Amino acid sequence: MLKKIITEFVGTFIFLSVILATGDPFAIGLSLAVAIYFGIKVSGGHFNQAVFIMMYFKKAINDKELACYIISQVLGGIVALNFFKMKKIIILYYIIL
């Protein structure tokens, strides 16, 4: 289960980092395809809470798994946002110097 959670976290982090950094539809689609390709054998490569909620109602996963997947994806998004903000601060620091 830990591998699945880490995979969802990393995949979400990469996907959302590309969205924040580029905003380019091609890059976003490519990053999602790459994340799914590398995550599909471990966690299913869903990277979308709606998919896990559907799987929960379909009884394919239990309460604990649903919570773990959603928390890992939300944390991946929060870390991606903070990484993006930190990157902008570092760039501004070097521009000022």
Side-chain angles (χ1 to χ4, degrees), residues 3-40:
K3 284 183 183 181
K4 293 179 180 183
I5 293 169
I6 291 171
T7 301
E8 289 293 321
F9 173 85
V10 171
T12 303
F13 170 79
I14 291 169
F15 177 52
L16 294 180
S17 292
V18 171
I19 291 172
L20 291 167
T22 68
D24 176 36
F26 180 76
I28 292 168
L30 184 61
S31 70
L32 180 59
V34 169
I36 290 170
Y37 178 79
F38 286 107
I40 199 161

Side-chain angles (χ1 to χ4, degrees), residues 10 16 22-23 30-31 34 41-43 49 52-53 57 60 62 68 80-81 85 97:
V10 171
L16 294 180
T22 68
L30 184 61
S31 70
V34 169
K41 290 186 180 179
V42 179
S43 68
Q49 294 88 5
F52 288 110
I53 292 170
F57 285 117
N62 62 34
C68 289
L81 179 60
K85 287 179 180 178
L97 290 180

Side-chain angles (χ1 to χ4, degrees), residues 1-2 5 56 61-71:
M1 182 71 181
L2 185 59
I5 293 169
Y56 172 74
I61 61 173
N62 62 34
D63 299 353
K64 181 182 172 186
E65 289 172 313
L66 176 65
C68 289
Y69 281 128
I70 290 176
I71 290 169

